[in-house]
């Protein structure tokens, strides 16, 4: 059976046989697992066994290997459509990482922004978090004022993307 | 007489830590919680729990009136503020006193004195504790800068009064460069902050953050409980702390410890406190400030000395003299603490929120976890994202480091982003191993940190697929549970406690 997982921007495909052998690249690489519980999955190689944890929550899967955390999403059919994956991957709309208070707006309507430029500072959990532009463009809308509470569904800033 | 009942005006891991200390002393506990913490670990753990308002700290954990009201209603004779929230609020200490409730901490006057940078520095000068040399005010003429630089000794640092982010900042190594540096710093300050006020202080080469734990009772006894090094910081917040410091020699420890005790006495201080110093490469140290509370990183001190600092705070507030252990303190072995935050180390330490879906703490010799979460806990947006502190002890630093890496690898927290791998890479870093831990350690060594995910991506994807293929959501079963799980209750047949069923 084939599974696909999205890690950051990369989609990784894996074939599973007998519910325990994972093959990559048409069988070029194979890994054997033993499932006991979500908290105890063992990577097996002969007598060697290594514990891995994996938990599924809705369309997210979290995996831990020795403290290193992976967060996988199910690849969406239509990347530009609605849903979290779609919103996050659209660089013309910048969202707060979590609900919080707008501390500072670092751009104004009409400003040109470049990739990685800091645009908004949002305070949540006692800390200031910087929202960074993911592409170059011109600020076309700012939907909050300094001091406003923001959610994660409304974009903070909307950009007119620059043509490459 | 010890208190009968202590109210804990805090949440999370420190509230849990205080409950442990109270229980050890046979004192019953009252917890307070906001609606966001209805099911939190600390809420469920105390002997009594009172809701004090909505999630916003201003309307709950910072609301003095509500907390005093709960203390009176529940009959608590003392309040422990933990750290953060109301811990260093003189008005809270005064409100406790006015209501005849003991505040487990110093007097309002001592909090006020140490909270005021100018006043506390004056006090330190009067008892001969060294401060970072430099100008008291802005420099007006070049002559003033030259004089101040000569007094402080080169290298010196020119800083913008409105400063931040390194703008308007210049390091000057020799007198010939002073004038150009002052001019440059002024220009930069003007354009960055619209204010060209600059001042001068001694530039500290390879600074370390070294702090001393002090304990003082109401009978005039003051001791220091050795140092902690807390140089590893991100976003100006400590993330790894250890004791002893690799930079503090036996002679230096005596000298700094003496200064710490002087500071404590000068402030007429009672309770647990921490004196923060900056230590430079040549072994010179400078007073920064005094924290008038129990510190997040207090466990490393407990691990190497065998004392319970929180229990001792409570004893001192009850009027007892310092325990005998504090009269013959020695440091044994080495201890390290890592703060486990819900944050994304690969994305500018952005706090992470969510539900902890799977949680497993590490175990083994020399491993201690002070935690405020459990499996199923929600980490929300309203509070500091610290989930737990992982503390290890080893007979030497090498053993402590090895135990820390082992324990971090065993620590399982799934469901949100956390700093466990980042911390593990810090402890394993050659510069950490060699003790080259200066306050810019993170900028210097971890600016291009890679979590190493690419090497393990296929293993992780394989495990994700295995979980998907075998996953059975809870409550989605028809019939009497999952037959593949061994359930001893199904094997016992008819039975009744104490006798056989007729």
């Amino acid at each position: 059976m084939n599974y696909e997982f999205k890690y950051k921007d990369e989609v990784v495909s894996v074939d599973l046989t007998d519910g325990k052998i994972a093959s990559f690249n048409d069988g070029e690489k194979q890994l054997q697992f033993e499932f006991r519980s979500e908290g105890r999955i063992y990577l097996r190689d002969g007598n060697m066994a290594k514990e891995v944890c994996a938990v599924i929550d809705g369309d997210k899967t979290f995996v831990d290997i020795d403290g290193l955390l992976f967060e996988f999403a199910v690849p969406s059919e239509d990347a530009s459509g609605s849903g979290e994956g779609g919103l996050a991957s659209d660089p013309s709309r910048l969202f707060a990482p979590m609900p919080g208070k707008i501390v500072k707006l670092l751009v104004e309507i009409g400003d040109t922004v470049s990739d990685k430029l800091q645009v908004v500072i949002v305070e949540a959990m006692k800390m200031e978090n910087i929202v960074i532009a993911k592409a170059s463009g011109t600020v076309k809308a700012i939907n909050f004022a300094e001091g406003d509470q923001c959610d994660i569904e409304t974009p903070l800033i909307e950009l007119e993307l620059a043509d490459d | 007489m010890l208190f009968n009942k202590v109210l804990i005006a805090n949440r999370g891991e420190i509230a849990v830590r205080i409950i442990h200390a109270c229980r050890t002393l046979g004192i019953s506990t009252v917890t307070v919680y906001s609606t966001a913490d209805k099911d939190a670990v600390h809420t469920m753990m105390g002997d009594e729990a009172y809701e004090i308002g909505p999630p916003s700290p201003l309307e709950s954990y910072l609301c003095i009136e509500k907390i005093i009201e709960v203390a009176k209603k529940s009959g608590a004779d003392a309040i422990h503020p933990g750290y953060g929230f109301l811990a260093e609020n003189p008005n809270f200490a005064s409100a406790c006193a006015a209501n005849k409730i003991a505040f487990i901490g110093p007097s309002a006057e001592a909090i006020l004195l140490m909270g005021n940078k100018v006043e506390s520095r004056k006090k330190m000068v009067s008892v001969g504790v060294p401060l970072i040399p430099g100008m008291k005010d802005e420099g007006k003429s070049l002559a003033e800068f030259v004089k101040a630089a000569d007094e402080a000794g080169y290298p010196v640092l020119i800083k913008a009064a409105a400063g931040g982010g390194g703008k308007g900042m210049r390091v000057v190594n020799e007198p010939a460069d002073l004038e150009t540096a002052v001019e440059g710093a002024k220009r930069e300050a003007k354009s960055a902050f619209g204010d060209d006020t600059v001042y001068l202080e001694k530039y500290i080469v390879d600074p370390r953050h070294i702090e001393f734990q002090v304990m003082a009772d109401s009978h005039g006894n003051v001791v220091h409980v050795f140092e902690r090094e807390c140089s590893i910081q991100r976003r100006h917040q400590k993330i790894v702390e250890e004791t002893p410091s690799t930079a503090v020699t036996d002679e230096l420890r005596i000298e700094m410890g003496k200064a710490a005790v002087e500071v404590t006495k000068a402030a007429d201080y009672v309770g647990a406190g921490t004196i923060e110093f900056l230590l430079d490469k040549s072994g010179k140290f400078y007073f920064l400030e005094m924290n008038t509370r129990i510190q997040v990183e207090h466990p490393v001190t407990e691990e190497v000395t065998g004392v319970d600092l929180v229990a001792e705070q409570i004893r001192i507030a009850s009027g007892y003299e310092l325990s005998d252990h504090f009269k013959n303190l020695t440091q044994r072995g080495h201890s390290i603490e890592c703060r486990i935050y819900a944050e994304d180390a690969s994305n500018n330490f952005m706090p992470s929120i969510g539900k902890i879906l799977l949680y497993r703490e590490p175990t083994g010799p020399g491993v201690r976890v002070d935690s405020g979460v459990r499996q199923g806990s929600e980490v929300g947006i309203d509070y500091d994202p610290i989930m737990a502190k992982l503390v290890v002890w080893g007979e030497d630093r090498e053993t402590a480091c090895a135990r820390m890496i082992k324990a971090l690898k065993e620590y399982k927290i799934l469901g949100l982003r956390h700093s466990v791998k980042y911390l593990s890479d810090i402890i394993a870093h050659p510069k950490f191993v060699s003790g080259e831990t200066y306050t810019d350690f993170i900028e210097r060594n971890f600016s291009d940190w890679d979590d190493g995910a690419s090497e393990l991506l296929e293993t992780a994807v394989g495990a994700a697929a295995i979980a998907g293929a075998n996953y059975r959501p809870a409550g989605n079963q028809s019939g009497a549970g999952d037959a593949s799980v061994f359930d001893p209750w199904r094997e016992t047949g008819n039975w009744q406690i104490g006798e056989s069923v007729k």
Side-chain angles (χ1 to χ4, degrees), chain B residues 457-495:
Chain B
L457 185 57
E458 284 174 338
T459 307
V461 167
I466 298 290
N470 292 279
Y471 182 58
R472 291 183 194 85
N476 210 9
Q477 305 287 337
S478 55
D482 186 346
S484 69
V485 176
F486 173 70
D487 179 356
W489 298 106
R490 272 196 253 122
E491 310 292 315
T492 49
N494 293 331
W495 66 287

Side-chain angles (χ1 to χ4, degrees), chain B residues 378-422:
Chain B
E378 293 270 359
V379 177
I381 58 162
D382 300 293
Y383 311 110
D384 187 272
I386 193 165
M387 294 187 284
K389 299 171 326 200
L390 172 57
V391 183
V392 297
W393 179 88
E395 52 269 34
D396 53 28
R397 191 169 186 263
E398 202 183 331
T399 312
C401 288
R403 279 183 175 162
M404 180 56 88
I405 291 172
K406 177 205 85 88
L408 285 165
K409 285 184 174 176
E410 287 172 13
Y411 210 147
K412 304 295 170 210
I413 310 168
L414 279 83
L416 38 69
R417 303 282 167 92
H418 55 68
S419 49
V420 170
K421 181 62 164 59
Y422 190 76

Side-chain angles (χ1 to χ4, degrees), chain B residues 64-330:
Chain B
I64 295 177
E65 297 77 38
K66 285 182 185 169
I67 290 168
I68 297 282
E69 191 193 311
V70 172
K72 287 162 112 174
K73 189 159 62 179
S74 63
D77 39 13
I79 297 181
H80 196 306
Y83 56 71
F85 295 126
L86 294 168
E88 289 170 285
N89 184 325
N91 298 332
F92 185 53
S94 302
C96 289
N99 286 282
K100 305 213 159 33
I101 301 162
F103 175 74
I104 303 175
S107 65
E109 292 74 34
I111 297 175
L112 210 54
L113 171 70
M114 286 307 173
N116 182 323
K117 294 262 181 296
V118 178
E119 288 304 313
S120 64
R121 276 159 184 257
K122 266 190 203 155
K123 193 90 181 180
M124 294 315 118
V125 173
S126 74
V127 295
V129 174
L131 302 178
I132 296 175
M135 289 174 161
K136 309 272 176 299
D137 294 301
E138 60 178 293
K140 291 194 177 69
S141 64
L142 181 64
E144 276 180 39
F145 280 97
V146 172
K147 186 165 170 277
D150 286 342
E151 279 168 12
Y154 287 85
V156 295
L157 184 69
I158 314 291
K159 271 167 115 174
K167 293 206 179 67
M169 214 183 249
R170 290 280 194 287
V171 178
V172 187
N173 289 308
E174 47 193 293
D177 301 336
L178 190 63
E179 187 174 358
T180 359
V182 171
E183 295 307 320
K186 273 177 180 276
R187 269 196 313 275
E188 211 170 278
K190 179 85 184 169
S191 73
F193 315 112
D195 174 359
D196 72 351
T197 310
V198 296
Y199 66 100
L200 177 150
E201 66 178 33
K202 187 171 176 64
Y203 177 68
I204 310 294
V205 181
D206 289 343
R208 292 172 190 260
H209 178 114
I210 307 284
E211 59 185 32
F212 271 71
Q213 176 72 51
V214 292
M215 294 299 276
D217 64 21
S218 53
H219 305 273
N221 300 303
V222 182
V223 295
H224 74 81
V225 198
F226 310 111
E227 82 280 13
R228 293 185 286 260
E229 174 160 354
C230 318
S231 302
I232 313 290
Q233 307 183 358
R234 58 107 184 82
R235 291 181 148 208
H236 303 289
Q237 201 173 34
K238 302 160 188 171
I239 49 173
V240 177
E241 300 101 341
E242 65 179 311
T243 186
S245 161
T246 56
V248 176
T249 60
D250 290 347
E251 295 76 37
L252 188 56
R253 184 168 297 114
I254 291 168
E255 203 188 328
M256 292 180 81
K258 199 165 154 271
V261 168
E262 286 301 318
V263 171
T264 311
K265 284 181 173 164
D268 274 327
Y269 194 86
V270 173
T274 296
I275 319 293
E276 295 192 341
F277 296 107
L278 215 52
L279 176 69
D280 76 9
K281 208 164 192 174
S282 67
K284 284 211 180 72
F285 61 92
Y286 309 96
F287 172 78
L288 289 178
E289 62 176 355
M290 178 172 191
N291 295 318
T292 56
R293 56 163 195 266
I294 191 77
Q295 299 269 107
V296 176
E297 60 273 21
H298 75 275
V300 293
T301 300
E302 297 182 325
E303 291 303 305
V304 298
T305 56
V307 299
D308 182 333
L309 293 171
V310 179
E312 193 66 12
Q313 274 190 300
I314 298 169
R315 292 183 73 265
I316 289 172
S318 306
Y320 283 76
E321 273 197 51
L322 276 176
S323 322
D324 287 341
H325 319 290
F326 283 85
K327 290 168 187 149
N328 295 297
L329 288 167
T330 49

Side-chain angles (χ1 to χ4, degrees), chain B residues 6-23 28-33 37 40-48 61 80-85 294-296 298 310 313-314 370-373 386-389:
Chain B
V6 168
L7 182 147
I8 296 151
N10 215 302
R11 62 180 302 283
E13 69 86 18
I14 193 62
V16 171
R17 170 72 186 87
I18 297 163
I19 294 172
H20 283 303
C22 288
R23 294 228 162 117
S28 62
T29 53
V30 179
T31 59
V32 291
Y33 62 96
D37 280 337
V41 175
H42 82 276
T43 307
M44 308 305 275
M45 201 175 154
D47 300 313
E48 295 169 52
Y61 296 106
H80 196 306
Y83 56 71
F85 295 126
I294 191 77
Q295 299 269 107
V296 176
H298 75 275
V310 179
Q313 274 190 300
I314 298 169
D370 280 19
S371 125
V373 295
I386 193 165
M387 294 187 284
K389 299 171 326 200

